[in-house]
Amino acid sequence: MRRKIYNELCKWKDDPARKPLVLEGARQVGKTWILKEFGHNEFVNMVYLNCDHNPQTEGLFRDFDTERILRYLSAISGQTIVPGKTLIFLDEIQEEPLGLTSLKYFCENAREYHIAVAGSLLGLSVHEGTGFPVGKVDELKMYPMTFCEFLEALGKQNLVDLMWSEKPENISDLADTYIELLRQYYYVGGMPEVVVEYAGTQNLQSVRRTQNRILSDYESDFSKHIPAAMLPKVRMVWHSVPSQLARENKKFTYSALKKGARAKEYETAIEWLKDAGLIYQVTRVNSFTKPLNFYEDPGAFKLYVSDLGLLGAMAQTAPADILTRNTGFVEYKGAFTEQYVAQQMVSTVPNKLHYYSRDDSRMELDFAYQADNVLAIEVKAEENLNAKSLKMILDKHPEIIGLRVSMSGFRKEHNLINIPLYLVETWFQKLEQSCV
């Protein structure tokens, strides 16, 4: 199973100015697997220590003496630790807060060693600003598998290669094939364990059971790390995301949680879920002027979950509703399509994703993004190319580029480009590469 973050890990390994690495990501996105794969492939040997309920970690980080810690790690692993040849991998580091703090001293006193840590983002966020070694570590973020990674896991490398090597209009003859696989991705999502299950068995019921178990594990994480007074509010926000996305106006509203709910009651709960990597927040802008961040309205936003397969499990959608052209699924197809586009972009592009609307107008666009140019993005679940709002905005702002993302084929009309949904990831990654 190939993950695109592997190349970023290799860059970190070869960077002479590297610091200890913190690999961040939601629970069960594959952090442990990728670091073990990286350690086995790119180093002579690897020292692996799981800090979760491990008596061997007792007293290990008591004084931050890096030489003593290295001797201890060598002794308990039976491995010789050699700078440049050994990867030291501390897993579930959130269970050892002092272990996280020790990275500061490895940065200052022993940077010649390659040391990487991973753990639950929810647990790591507890130590942010206290034991977290701010400025003394390199950080990489890992997300659920993208559509391209999903295709590779299914053995469709040839289709992925075409997406990267050919111009979008040159693969239109394969549109039906890509769309069928995209519908499968809508149901399965990008959690590695779920993808492996589907690739091996094609059993949709087994896929849903695995998704539900992951959701149950998340709930257990809530109870473990979130203060008791905050826990009910976190759960209310988390459970409300599917129903909020199902509405025509997908803007998050506190009143949907309970009557009379106020932002100040639930802002911290939303921050917990964001810190855990379980939701993405897409904030409104009211102008297409660069820089977009200047025109944010932090009080207006949409929330998406980290993975569209988990969204389907939370909403208890049936396989036939997602995998076929079921007309009773119209509203949720829009929600899934927006979720898909947001998920691909968050894991691919470096800048913040927004959506657009004005207080004095009903006109709204699904997303806005700033690369070299400002991009106004309208998302369509099927082949409908009617983009009235987008065209009106482009008439008013001819300096920006309009993107209409749909099941229809690639086409370009002046400053309006239609991108097939299955090409979102590759199109935006090529765009970012051209901006470098």
Side-chain angles (χ1 to χ4, degrees), residues 402-423:
L403 301 181
R404 183 176 50 202
V405 184
S406 74
M407 289 290 193
S408 187
F410 180 88
R411 67 187 67 183
K412 188 172 182 179
E413 308 161 4
H414 304 296
N415 60 339
L416 175 59
I417 305 171
N418 191 84
I419 303 170
L421 279 160
Y422 52 84
L423 289 180

Side-chain angles (χ1 to χ4, degrees), residues 335-350:
F336 270 69
T337 306
E338 271 197 40
Q339 164 73 40
Y340 162 76
V341 173
Q343 186 172 333
Q344 301 309 293
M345 290 189 67
V346 166
S347 64
T348 300
V349 298

